[in-house]
Amino acid sequence: MVVDVDVVLNKILKAYDVNHRLTFGVPGLQFIDFPNGVNHFDFTVVDSMDGNIRQFRLYKRKNGRRPKPVISRGWMDYVHAKSLSYRMGDRITIRVNHDGIAPFNIRAQRTDIMKVFGKAGRGWAEGAELNDWA
């Protein structure tokens, strides 16, 4: 298995992610530089599908065994703009951006259910806006 070192977050969305805030994996925190004593980080992402720039806020616990990071501010606007759904198996990927427009790229993908040789299977839709699938 090849691991992409630039992937901050890659997950299939769950109900909590599309109804409240995006739970963020602890390993992705290695890409975020929180100022000392601060439990939130505002960051900019560029949508790799439409080029729109968005602002998100990442929170983590101040105390406790695990930081339990979540993306809150700006997330629900993105969910509504892309018509994201956990029922459809939508996937979100955030990567480090190396071209300087914004520090991170975001990409939303919809699962496409297709039939191959008479059997149903799942694949990730590429190259189409999620709104086209709604």
Side-chain angles (χ1 to χ4, degrees), residues 45-87:
V45 297
V46 62
D47 190 313
S48 61
M49 294 299 287
D50 61 21
N52 287 335
I53 295 175
R54 297 184 177 273
Q55 298 288 322
F56 291 138
R57 174 169 283 180
L58 176 67
Y59 279 100
K60 67 176 183 171
R61 274 190 193 151
K62 285 185 179 179
N63 302 315
R65 291 182 298 150
R66 296 181 308 143
K68 288 196 77 156
V70 295
I71 295 176
S72 58
R73 183 180 293 166
W75 173 247
M76 291 308 297
D77 291 339
Y78 186 76
V79 167
H80 295 301
K82 294 293 183 176
S83 301
L84 296 176
S85 169
Y86 68 93
R87 289 185 183 104

Short mmCIF file of all heavy atoms in Angstrom, two decimals, residues 45-87:
data_model
loop_
_atom_site.label_atom_id
_atom_site.label_comp_id
_atom_site.label_asym_id
_atom_site.label_seq_id
_atom_site.Cartn_x
_atom_site.Cartn_y
_atom_site.Cartn_z
N VAL A 45 -8.42 26.91 2.32
CA VAL A 45 -8.32 25.80 1.38
C VAL A 45 -8.80 26.28 0.02
O VAL A 45 -9.61 27.20 -0.07
CB VAL A 45 -9.17 24.57 1.81
CG1 VAL A 45 -8.67 24.01 3.12
CG2 VAL A 45 -10.63 24.89 1.88
N VAL A 46 -8.28 25.67 -1.02
CA VAL A 46 -8.79 25.92 -2.37
C VAL A 46 -9.44 24.63 -2.84
O VAL A 46 -8.89 23.54 -2.67
CB VAL A 46 -7.67 26.41 -3.33
CG1 VAL A 46 -6.58 25.38 -3.50
CG2 VAL A 46 -8.25 26.81 -4.68
N ASP A 47 -10.65 24.75 -3.36
CA ASP A 47 -11.39 23.59 -3.87
C ASP A 47 -10.74 23.15 -5.17
O ASP A 47 -10.65 23.93 -6.12
CB ASP A 47 -12.85 23.96 -4.09
CG ASP A 47 -13.72 22.76 -4.37
OD1 ASP A 47 -13.31 21.92 -5.20
OD2 ASP A 47 -14.79 22.65 -3.78
N SER A 48 -10.27 21.92 -5.22
CA SER A 48 -9.56 21.45 -6.41
C SER A 48 -10.48 21.22 -7.60
O SER A 48 -10.02 21.07 -8.72
CB SER A 48 -8.78 20.17 -6.10
OG SER A 48 -9.64 19.15 -5.70
N MET A 49 -11.81 21.23 -7.38
CA MET A 49 -12.75 21.06 -8.49
C MET A 49 -13.15 22.38 -9.13
O MET A 49 -13.20 22.50 -10.35
CB MET A 49 -14.00 20.32 -8.02
CG MET A 49 -13.75 18.89 -7.59
SD MET A 49 -13.11 17.86 -8.91
CE MET A 49 -14.57 17.69 -9.90
N ASP A 50 -13.47 23.39 -8.30
CA ASP A 50 -13.97 24.64 -8.87
C ASP A 50 -13.08 25.84 -8.62
O ASP A 50 -13.37 26.94 -9.08
CB ASP A 50 -15.40 24.92 -8.38
CG ASP A 50 -15.50 25.07 -6.87
OD1 ASP A 50 -14.49 25.35 -6.21
OD2 ASP A 50 -16.63 24.91 -6.35
N GLY A 51 -12.01 25.68 -7.86
CA GLY A 51 -11.07 26.76 -7.61
C GLY A 51 -11.51 27.76 -6.55
O GLY A 51 -10.78 28.72 -6.29
N ASN A 52 -12.69 27.56 -5.95
CA ASN A 52 -13.15 28.47 -4.90
C ASN A 52 -12.26 28.36 -3.67
O ASN A 52 -11.83 27.27 -3.30
CB ASN A 52 -14.59 28.18 -4.50
CG ASN A 52 -15.58 28.62 -5.56
OD1 ASN A 52 -15.30 29.51 -6.34
ND2 ASN A 52 -16.73 27.98 -5.58
N ILE A 53 -12.03 29.50 -3.04
CA ILE A 53 -11.24 29.55 -1.82
C ILE A 53 -12.19 29.64 -0.64
O ILE A 53 -13.14 30.42 -0.66
CB ILE A 53 -10.26 30.73 -1.86
CG1 ILE A 53 -9.25 30.50 -2.98
CG2 ILE A 53 -9.56 30.90 -0.52
CD1 ILE A 53 -8.29 31.62 -3.21
N ARG A 54 -11.93 28.83 0.39
CA ARG A 54 -12.80 28.78 1.56
C ARG A 54 -11.96 28.88 2.83
O ARG A 54 -10.79 28.52 2.84
CB ARG A 54 -13.59 27.48 1.58
CG ARG A 54 -14.52 27.36 0.39
CD ARG A 54 -15.36 26.12 0.49
NE ARG A 54 -16.28 26.05 -0.62
CZ ARG A 54 -17.48 26.61 -0.62
NH1 ARG A 54 -17.91 27.27 0.42
NH2 ARG A 54 -18.27 26.50 -1.67
N GLN A 55 -12.61 29.36 3.88
CA GLN A 55 -11.98 29.49 5.20
C GLN A 55 -12.60 28.47 6.14
O GLN A 55 -13.82 28.37 6.22
CB GLN A 55 -12.22 30.90 5.77
CG GLN A 55 -11.61 32.01 4.94
CD GLN A 55 -10.11 32.04 5.04
OE1 GLN A 55 -9.53 31.80 6.08
NE2 GLN A 55 -9.46 32.31 3.93
N PHE A 56 -11.76 27.72 6.84
CA PHE A 56 -12.21 26.76 7.83
C PHE A 56 -11.52 27.05 9.16
O PHE A 56 -10.48 27.69 9.20
CB PHE A 56 -11.89 25.32 7.43
CG PHE A 56 -12.67 24.80 6.27
CD1 PHE A 56 -12.04 24.05 5.29
CD2 PHE A 56 -14.02 25.03 6.14
CE1 PHE A 56 -12.75 23.54 4.22
CE2 PHE A 56 -14.74 24.52 5.06
CZ PHE A 56 -14.11 23.78 4.10
N ARG A 57 -12.12 26.54 10.23
CA ARG A 57 -11.49 26.61 11.55
C ARG A 57 -11.41 25.19 12.10
O ARG A 57 -12.39 24.47 12.14
CB ARG A 57 -12.26 27.49 12.51
CG ARG A 57 -11.68 27.46 13.93
CD ARG A 57 -12.24 28.50 14.82
NE ARG A 57 -11.61 29.78 14.48
CZ ARG A 57 -11.90 30.92 15.08
NH1 ARG A 57 -12.81 30.96 16.03
NH2 ARG A 57 -11.28 32.04 14.74
N LEU A 58 -10.22 24.84 12.55
CA LEU A 58 -9.96 23.56 13.17
C LEU A 58 -9.81 23.77 14.68
O LEU A 58 -9.03 24.61 15.11
CB LEU A 58 -8.67 22.95 12.61
CG LEU A 58 -8.20 21.64 13.21
CD1 LEU A 58 -9.17 20.52 12.88
CD2 LEU A 58 -6.82 21.30 12.68
N TYR A 59 -10.60 23.04 15.45
CA TYR A 59 -10.52 23.07 16.91
C TYR A 59 -9.93 21.76 17.41
O TYR A 59 -10.12 20.72 16.80
CB TYR A 59 -11.92 23.18 17.54
CG TYR A 59 -12.48 24.56 17.58
CD1 TYR A 59 -13.41 24.97 16.64
CD2 TYR A 59 -12.10 25.47 18.57
CE1 TYR A 59 -13.96 26.24 16.67
CE2 TYR A 59 -12.64 26.74 18.61
CZ TYR A 59 -13.56 27.12 17.67
OH TYR A 59 -14.09 28.37 17.70
N LYS A 60 -9.24 21.85 18.54
CA LYS A 60 -8.82 20.64 19.24
C LYS A 60 -9.04 20.86 20.74
O LYS A 60 -9.13 22.00 21.20
CB LYS A 60 -7.36 20.30 18.96
CG LYS A 60 -6.37 21.29 19.51
CD LYS A 60 -4.95 20.85 19.26
CE LYS A 60 -3.99 21.84 19.91
NZ LYS A 60 -2.64 21.38 19.89
N ARG A 61 -9.14 19.77 21.49
CA ARG A 61 -9.31 19.86 22.93
C ARG A 61 -8.11 20.54 23.56
O ARG A 61 -6.97 20.31 23.16
CB ARG A 61 -9.39 18.47 23.54
CG ARG A 61 -10.72 17.87 23.56
CD ARG A 61 -10.64 16.60 24.41
NE ARG A 61 -11.82 15.82 24.23
CZ ARG A 61 -11.86 14.51 24.35
NH1 ARG A 61 -10.77 13.83 24.65
NH2 ARG A 61 -12.98 13.86 24.17
N LYS A 62 -8.37 21.35 24.58
CA LYS A 62 -7.28 21.95 25.34
C LYS A 62 -6.67 20.94 26.30
O LYS A 62 -5.47 20.91 26.52
CB LYS A 62 -7.77 23.16 26.14
CG LYS A 62 -8.01 24.38 25.32
CD LYS A 62 -8.37 25.55 26.21
CE LYS A 62 -8.59 26.79 25.37
NZ LYS A 62 -8.96 27.96 26.17
N ASN A 63 -7.53 20.11 26.89
CA ASN A 63 -7.09 19.13 27.88
C ASN A 63 -7.60 17.76 27.49
O ASN A 63 -8.52 17.63 26.69
CB ASN A 63 -7.63 19.49 29.27
CG ASN A 63 -7.21 20.88 29.70
OD1 ASN A 63 -6.05 21.25 29.54
ND2 ASN A 63 -8.15 21.65 30.21
N GLY A 64 -7.03 16.75 28.09
CA GLY A 64 -7.50 15.39 27.83
C GLY A 64 -6.42 14.56 27.17
O GLY A 64 -5.37 15.05 26.76
N ARG A 65 -6.71 13.27 27.06
CA ARG A 65 -5.72 12.34 26.52
C ARG A 65 -5.53 12.53 25.02
O ARG A 65 -4.43 12.40 24.52
CB ARG A 65 -6.16 10.91 26.79
CG ARG A 65 -6.10 10.54 28.26
CD ARG A 65 -6.50 9.10 28.48
NE ARG A 65 -7.88 8.91 28.03
CZ ARG A 65 -8.38 7.79 27.55
NH1 ARG A 65 -7.61 6.74 27.45
NH2 ARG A 65 -9.63 7.71 27.18
N ARG A 66 -6.62 12.77 24.31
CA ARG A 66 -6.54 12.92 22.85
C ARG A 66 -7.08 14.29 22.47
O ARG A 66 -8.03 14.78 23.06
CB ARG A 66 -7.36 11.83 22.16
CG ARG A 66 -6.82 10.44 22.41
CD ARG A 66 -7.62 9.39 21.68
NE ARG A 66 -9.04 9.51 21.96
CZ ARG A 66 -10.00 9.29 21.06
NH1 ARG A 66 -9.70 8.92 19.86
NH2 ARG A 66 -11.26 9.43 21.38
N PRO A 67 -6.52 14.90 21.43
CA PRO A 67 -6.98 16.24 21.04
C PRO A 67 -8.36 16.29 20.39
O PRO A 67 -9.01 17.32 20.40
CB PRO A 67 -5.91 16.72 20.07
CG PRO A 67 -5.12 15.54 19.69
CD PRO A 67 -5.35 14.47 20.70
N LYS A 68 -8.86 15.16 19.81
CA LYS A 68 -10.18 15.10 19.15
C LYS A 68 -10.45 16.32 18.26
O LYS A 68 -11.37 17.09 18.51
CB LYS A 68 -11.29 14.93 20.17
CG LYS A 68 -11.28 13.52 20.76
CD LYS A 68 -12.54 13.20 21.45
CE LYS A 68 -13.57 12.87 20.41
NZ LYS A 68 -14.64 12.04 20.85
N PRO A 69 -9.69 16.52 17.21
CA PRO A 69 -9.88 17.69 16.35
C PRO A 69 -11.14 17.61 15.49
O PRO A 69 -11.56 16.53 15.08
CB PRO A 69 -8.62 17.68 15.46
CG PRO A 69 -8.14 16.27 15.49
CD PRO A 69 -8.58 15.67 16.79
N VAL A 70 -11.75 18.79 15.26
CA VAL A 70 -12.91 18.92 14.38
C VAL A 70 -12.78 20.20 13.56
O VAL A 70 -12.22 21.18 14.02
CB VAL A 70 -14.25 18.94 15.15
CG1 VAL A 70 -14.51 17.63 15.85
CG2 VAL A 70 -14.33 20.09 16.11
N ILE A 71 -13.30 20.15 12.34
CA ILE A 71 -13.39 21.37 11.52
C ILE A 71 -14.80 21.89 11.68
O ILE A 71 -15.77 21.17 11.43
CB ILE A 71 -13.06 21.08 10.05
CG1 ILE A 71 -11.60 20.65 9.92
CG2 ILE A 71 -13.34 22.32 9.19
CD1 ILE A 71 -11.19 20.26 8.52
N SER A 72 -14.91 23.14 12.13
CA SER A 72 -16.23 23.69 12.42
C SER A 72 -16.54 24.87 11.50
O SER A 72 -17.29 24.72 10.53
CB SER A 72 -16.33 24.10 13.88
OG SER A 72 -15.34 25.04 14.19
N ARG A 73 -16.01 26.03 11.78
CA ARG A 73 -16.36 27.24 11.03
C ARG A 73 -16.08 27.04 9.53
O ARG A 73 -15.01 26.61 9.13
CB ARG A 73 -15.56 28.43 11.53
CG ARG A 73 -15.96 29.72 10.81
CD ARG A 73 -15.18 30.89 11.29
NE ARG A 73 -15.55 31.18 12.68
CZ ARG A 73 -14.85 31.99 13.44
NH1 ARG A 73 -13.77 32.57 12.99
NH2 ARG A 73 -15.23 32.21 14.67
N GLY A 74 -17.09 27.32 8.74
CA GLY A 74 -16.99 27.20 7.29
C GLY A 74 -17.36 25.84 6.74
O GLY A 74 -17.67 25.70 5.56
N TRP A 75 -17.34 24.81 7.59
CA TRP A 75 -17.59 23.46 7.13
C TRP A 75 -19.02 23.26 6.64
O TRP A 75 -19.25 22.70 5.57
CB TRP A 75 -17.25 22.43 8.21
CG TRP A 75 -17.67 21.05 7.83
CD1 TRP A 75 -18.63 20.30 8.41
CD2 TRP A 75 -17.15 20.27 6.75
NE1 TRP A 75 -18.75 19.09 7.77
CE2 TRP A 75 -17.86 19.06 6.73
CE3 TRP A 75 -16.18 20.49 5.77
CZ2 TRP A 75 -17.61 18.05 5.80
CZ3 TRP A 75 -15.94 19.49 4.84
CH2 TRP A 75 -16.65 18.29 4.86
N MET A 76 -20.02 23.69 7.41
CA MET A 76 -21.41 23.46 7.02
C MET A 76 -21.76 24.21 5.74
O MET A 76 -22.54 23.72 4.92
CB MET A 76 -22.37 23.81 8.15
CG MET A 76 -22.29 22.86 9.34
SD MET A 76 -22.45 21.10 8.92
CE MET A 76 -24.10 21.04 8.26
N ASP A 77 -21.18 25.38 5.53
CA ASP A 77 -21.38 26.08 4.25
C ASP A 77 -20.87 25.25 3.09
O ASP A 77 -21.50 25.17 2.04
CB ASP A 77 -20.67 27.45 4.27
CG ASP A 77 -21.32 28.44 5.21
OD1 ASP A 77 -22.51 28.26 5.55
OD2 ASP A 77 -20.62 29.39 5.62
N TYR A 78 -19.73 24.60 3.29
CA TYR A 78 -19.16 23.73 2.26
C TYR A 78 -20.05 22.52 2.02
O TYR A 78 -20.31 22.14 0.87
CB TYR A 78 -17.75 23.30 2.66
CG TYR A 78 -17.03 22.52 1.60
CD1 TYR A 78 -16.50 23.15 0.48
CD2 TYR A 78 -16.89 21.14 1.70
CE1 TYR A 78 -15.84 22.43 -0.50
CE2 TYR A 78 -16.22 20.41 0.73
CZ TYR A 78 -15.71 21.06 -0.36
OH TYR A 78 -15.06 20.35 -1.34
N VAL A 79 -20.54 21.92 3.09
CA VAL A 79 -21.44 20.75 2.99
C VAL A 79 -22.66 21.10 2.14
O VAL A 79 -23.04 20.36 1.23
CB VAL A 79 -21.88 20.25 4.38
CG1 VAL A 79 -23.05 19.27 4.29
CG2 VAL A 79 -20.72 19.63 5.12
N HIS A 80 -23.28 22.27 2.42
CA HIS A 80 -24.47 22.68 1.67
C HIS A 80 -24.13 23.05 0.23
O HIS A 80 -24.88 22.69 -0.69
CB HIS A 80 -25.17 23.84 2.38
CG HIS A 80 -25.72 23.45 3.71
ND1 HIS A 80 -26.66 22.46 3.90
CD2 HIS A 80 -25.45 23.92 4.96
CE1 HIS A 80 -26.94 22.33 5.17
NE2 HIS A 80 -26.21 23.20 5.85
N ALA A 81 -23.02 23.73 0.02
CA ALA A 81 -22.63 24.12 -1.34
C ALA A 81 -22.38 22.91 -2.23
O ALA A 81 -22.67 22.93 -3.42
CB ALA A 81 -21.39 25.01 -1.30
N LYS A 82 -21.85 21.84 -1.65
CA LYS A 82 -21.53 20.62 -2.41
C LYS A 82 -22.60 19.55 -2.31
O LYS A 82 -22.46 18.48 -2.90
CB LYS A 82 -20.19 20.05 -1.93
CG LYS A 82 -19.01 20.94 -2.21
CD LYS A 82 -18.78 21.03 -3.69
CE LYS A 82 -17.57 21.86 -4.00
NZ LYS A 82 -17.29 21.88 -5.44
N SER A 83 -23.67 19.82 -1.55
CA SER A 83 -24.74 18.83 -1.33
C SER A 83 -24.18 17.49 -0.86
O SER A 83 -24.55 16.43 -1.37
CB SER A 83 -25.56 18.64 -2.62
OG SER A 83 -26.13 19.84 -3.03
N LEU A 84 -23.30 17.55 0.12
CA LEU A 84 -22.67 16.33 0.62
C LEU A 84 -23.66 15.49 1.42
O LEU A 84 -24.55 16.01 2.07
CB LEU A 84 -21.47 16.68 1.49
CG LEU A 84 -20.33 17.38 0.77
CD1 LEU A 84 -19.23 17.77 1.76
CD2 LEU A 84 -19.77 16.53 -0.33
N SER A 85 -23.47 14.18 1.36
CA SER A 85 -24.36 13.26 2.04
C SER A 85 -23.57 12.06 2.55
O SER A 85 -22.75 11.50 1.84
CB SER A 85 -25.43 12.77 1.07
OG SER A 85 -26.16 11.70 1.62
N TYR A 86 -23.84 11.64 3.78
CA TYR A 86 -23.22 10.42 4.28
C TYR A 86 -23.92 9.20 3.69
O TYR A 86 -23.31 8.14 3.55
CB TYR A 86 -23.23 10.39 5.81
CG TYR A 86 -24.60 10.24 6.42
CD1 TYR A 86 -25.11 8.99 6.73
CD2 TYR A 86 -25.39 11.36 6.68
CE1 TYR A 86 -26.37 8.86 7.30
CE2 TYR A 86 -26.64 11.24 7.24
CZ TYR A 86 -27.13 9.99 7.54
OH TYR A 86 -28.37 9.86 8.10
N ARG A 87 -25.18 9.33 3.32
CA ARG A 87 -25.92 8.19 2.76
C ARG A 87 -25.38 7.77 1.41
O ARG A 87 -25.51 6.62 1.02
CB ARG A 87 -27.40 8.53 2.65
CG ARG A 87 -28.09 8.62 3.98
CD ARG A 87 -29.58 8.84 3.81
NE ARG A 87 -30.21 8.99 5.09
CZ ARG A 87 -30.61 10.15 5.60
NH1 ARG A 87 -30.45 11.26 4.90
NH2 ARG A 87 -31.17 10.20 6.78
#
